[in-house]
């Protein structure tokens, strides 16, 4: 085996046309070593990434975005993690496919996963649930070194928690009014379990995309929903009529009571006034009976006479009636119009 120090001796025994190229080999080897050092000593970390540096396979440090130096020749290696990217996992259906290395690509169309989507509810019915979980990598160290397969762990936790929460509710709650509350509970309990497992993940969103009863019973379920909606509509109409009639009746009753109270107060006041007036007249009558009698007579006649059309004056000493000449009557007018003498 030829040693390096004997390289010049070996090169000297080469043909002349190869000696010139043989002298360039050490320079080429030196340049290759420099290139390898340069390419293995610097790493570039993108804006939404961090790089986890390992020295001889052990965790050493974490660097943020920018250009960074590390030991060359495989002494230190770097694994880049996208900490600002929002990842997504679909359950019950899938619009992406993944190969064995974990890379994803768009599928030809959504694929139904009945084994995952169909769940037993608390009232022993079956609901077809499709949901998505969005998450971010919060701690790259935990994500890379604490759990062997973080994505598969996430899927198992999501399915377990969702099935348990759906199993505590009726199918009506799962399909209609309870979807938002179920999604919130799933997100909270998933985060607690993932933190306990030290996965380094942060759940950002849990959304129930499509929740339906199984296809064979869907027509019957729709009929039940229509009946419930009709019941709610009738109940709302009855409440509306009640809220309209009761205040109106109460208002009418209060108005009648107020009018009766006002009428009672008026009658009492009038009666008190009449009584006081009668008392005052009685007092004056006792003081001057004749004067009071004439005054009352004159006041009464002043009220009565203006309402009488034909008036007759009767003298108490006369036995007959004194006829009055109707100067303003129709007869005098007719004579004047006919040209007669007065």
């Amino acid at each position: 085996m030829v040693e390096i120090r004997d390289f010049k001796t070996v090169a000297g025994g080469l043909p002349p046309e190869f000696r010139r190229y043989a002298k360039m080999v050490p320079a080429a080897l030196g340049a290759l070593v420099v290139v390898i050092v340069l390419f293995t000593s610097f790493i570039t970390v993108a804006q939404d990434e961090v790089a986890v540096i390992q020295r001889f396979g052990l965790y050493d440090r974490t660097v943020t975005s920018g250009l960074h130096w590390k030991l060359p020749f495989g002494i230190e290696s770097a694994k880049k993690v996208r900490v600002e990217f929002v990842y997504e996992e679909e359950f019950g259906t899938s619009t992406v496919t993944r190969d064995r290395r974990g890379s994803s690509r768009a599928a030809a169309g959504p694929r139904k996963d009945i084994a995952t989507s169909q769940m037993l509810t608390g009232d022993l019915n079956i609901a077809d649930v499709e949901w998505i979980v969005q998450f971010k990598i919060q701690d790259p160290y935990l994500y890379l070194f604490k759990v062997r397969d973080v994505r598969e762990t996430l899927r198992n936790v999501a399915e377990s928690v969702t099935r348990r929460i759906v199993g505590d509710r009726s199918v009506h709650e799962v399909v209609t009014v309870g979807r938002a509350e179920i999604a919130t509970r799933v997100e909270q309990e998933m985060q607690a379990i993932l933190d306990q497992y030290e996965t380094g993940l942060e759940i950002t969103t849990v959304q129930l995309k499509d929740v339906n009863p199984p296809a064979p019973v869907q027509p019957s379920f729709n009929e039940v929903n229509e009946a419930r909606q009709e019941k709610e509509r009738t109940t709302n109409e009855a409440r509306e009529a009640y809220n309209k009639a009761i205040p109106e009746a109460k208002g009418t009753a209060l108005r009648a009571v107020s009018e009766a109270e006002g009428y009672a107060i008026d009658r009492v006041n009038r009666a008190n006034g009449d009584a006081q007036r009668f008392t005052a007249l009685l007092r004056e009558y006792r003081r001057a009976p004749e004067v009071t009698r004439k005054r009352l007579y004159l006041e009464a006649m002043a009220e009565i006479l203006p309402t009488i059309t034909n008036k007759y004056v009767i003298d108490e000493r006369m036995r007959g009636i004194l006829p009055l000449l109707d100067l303003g009557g129709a007869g005098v007018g007719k004579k004047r119009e006919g040209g007669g003498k007065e």
Side-chain angles (χ1 to χ4, degrees), residues 262-279:
Y263 179 75
I265 293 173
D266 179 70
R267 293 296 296 174
V268 170
N269 292 336
R270 286 178 179 272
N272 290 333
D274 293 341
Q276 292 175 2
R277 179 173 174 273
F278 178 79
T279 303

Side-chain angles (χ1 to χ4, degrees), residues 41-83:
S41 298
F42 295 95
I43 57 171
T44 302
V45 184
Q47 187 68 29
D48 62 341
E49 296 178 337
V50 297
V52 177
I53 307 300
Q54 296 174 259
R55 181 175 298 174
F56 297 113
L58 296 177
Y59 172 77
D60 183 71
R61 64 189 181 278
T62 300
V63 295
T64 57
S65 60
L67 183 64
H68 299 275
W69 179 86
K70 65 181 181 65
L71 295 178
F73 303 110
I75 298 176
E76 289 185 345
S77 61
K79 291 183 179 180
K80 298 179 181 180
V81 181
R82 301 178 67 182
V83 294

Side-chain angles (χ1 to χ4, degrees), residues 298-318:
L298 292 176
E299 290 177 357
M301 295 304 293
E303 294 180 359
I304 295 173
L305 289 178
T307 62
I308 300 175
T309 56
N310 298 324
K311 302 178 180 62
Y312 299 91
V313 179
I314 301 175
D315 190 358
E316 60 181 4
R317 298 177 183 180
M318 294 181 62

Side-chain angles (χ1 to χ4, degrees), residues 115-184:
T116 303
S117 63
Q118 289 191 351
M119 301 182 184
L120 185 66
T121 60
D123 54 356
L124 302 182
N125 287 301
I126 295 178
D128 194 353
V129 183
E130 298 176 7
W131 77 102
I132 60 173
V133 176
Q134 295 179 339
F135 62 94
K136 295 170 64 176
I137 300 175
Q138 185 181 25
D139 191 329
Y141 171 75
L142 298 179
Y143 175 75
L144 292 175
F145 303 114
K146 287 296 183 178
V147 179
R148 183 183 298 275
D149 191 343
V150 179
R151 302 290 284 267
E152 187 64 24
T153 302
L154 172 71
R155 294 189 64 87
N156 293 336
V157 171
E159 186 174 351
S160 174
V161 171
T162 305
R163 286 186 180 278
R164 179 169 55 80
I165 294 177
V166 169
D168 292 337
R169 285 158 178 78
S170 65
V171 66
H172 177 70
E173 293 176 329
V174 175
V175 176
T176 56
V177 297
R179 297 176 59 176
E181 193 268 339
I182 291 174
T184 303

Side-chain angles (χ1 to χ4, degrees), residues 74-313:
I75 298 176
E76 289 185 345
S77 61
K79 291 183 179 180
K80 298 179 181 180
V81 181
R82 301 178 67 182
V83 294
E84 298 297 332
F85 183 76
V86 178
Y87 297 89
E88 180 176 294
E89 288 289 337
E90 297 177 310
F91 299 86
T93 185
S94 179
T95 57
V96 297
T97 57
R98 291 187 173 84
D99 54 22
R100 294 181 179 178
R101 295 177 297 179
S103 60
S104 61
R105 59 183 179 85
R111 297 181 294 107
K112 188 71 174 178
D113 186 3
I114 298 178
T116 303
S117 63
Q118 289 191 351
M119 301 182 184
L120 185 66
T121 60
D123 54 356
L124 302 182
N125 287 301
I126 295 178
D128 194 353
V129 183
E130 298 176 7
W131 77 102
I132 60 173
V133 176
Q134 295 179 339
F135 62 94
K136 295 170 64 176
I137 300 175
Q138 185 181 25
D139 191 329
Y141 171 75
L142 298 179
Y143 175 75
L144 292 175
F145 303 114
K146 287 296 183 178
V147 179
R148 183 183 298 275
D149 191 343
V150 179
R151 302 290 284 267
E152 187 64 24
T153 302
L154 172 71
R155 294 189 64 87
N156 293 336
V157 171
E159 186 174 351
S160 174
V161 171
T162 305
R163 286 186 180 278
R164 179 169 55 80
I165 294 177
V166 169
D168 292 337
R169 285 158 178 78
S170 65
V171 66
H172 177 70
E173 293 176 329
V174 175
V175 176
T176 56
V177 297
R179 297 176 59 176
E181 193 268 339
I182 291 174
T184 303
R185 285 286 306 279
V186 170
E187 179 180 348
Q188 295 173 351
E189 296 195 15
M190 278 189 63
Q191 187 65 62
I193 295 175
L194 293 175
D195 291 343
Q196 183 180 358
Y197 289 171
E198 296 183 340
T199 59
L201 300 181
E202 177 187 4
I203 305 298
T204 59
T205 304
V206 174
Q207 180 181 1
L208 301 183
K209 294 196 306 181
D210 194 9
V211 182
N212 293 307
V217 300
Q218 191 164 2
S220 300
F221 186 82
N222 292 335
E223 292 179 1
V224 173
N225 282 336
E226 290 177 359
R228 286 177 176 171
Q229 293 174 1
E230 181 67 20
K231 175 186 175 182
E232 292 178 358
R233 185 182 64 82
T234 305
T235 302
N236 292 333
E237 290 178 355
R239 288 177 179 173
E240 181 180 0
Y242 174 84
N243 294 332
K244 180 180 179 181
I246 295 302
E248 183 177 356
K250 289 182 178 179
T252 303
L254 291 175
R255 184 181 63 185
V257 171
S258 299
E259 291 178 354
E261 291 176 351
Y263 179 75
I265 293 173
D266 179 70
R267 293 296 296 174
V268 170
N269 292 336
R270 286 178 179 272
N272 290 333
D274 293 341
Q276 292 175 2
R277 179 173 174 273
F278 178 79
T279 303
L281 289 175
L282 178 61
R283 188 183 305 113
E284 295 297 328
Y285 179 79
R286 289 177 176 175
R287 292 177 181 177
E290 291 296 330
V291 176
T292 304
R293 185 183 300 113
K294 288 183 179 181
R295 183 171 64 83
L296 293 176
Y297 173 77
L298 292 176
E299 290 177 357
M301 295 304 293
E303 294 180 359
I304 295 173
L305 289 178
T307 62
I308 300 175
T309 56
N310 298 324
K311 302 178 180 62
Y312 299 91
V313 179

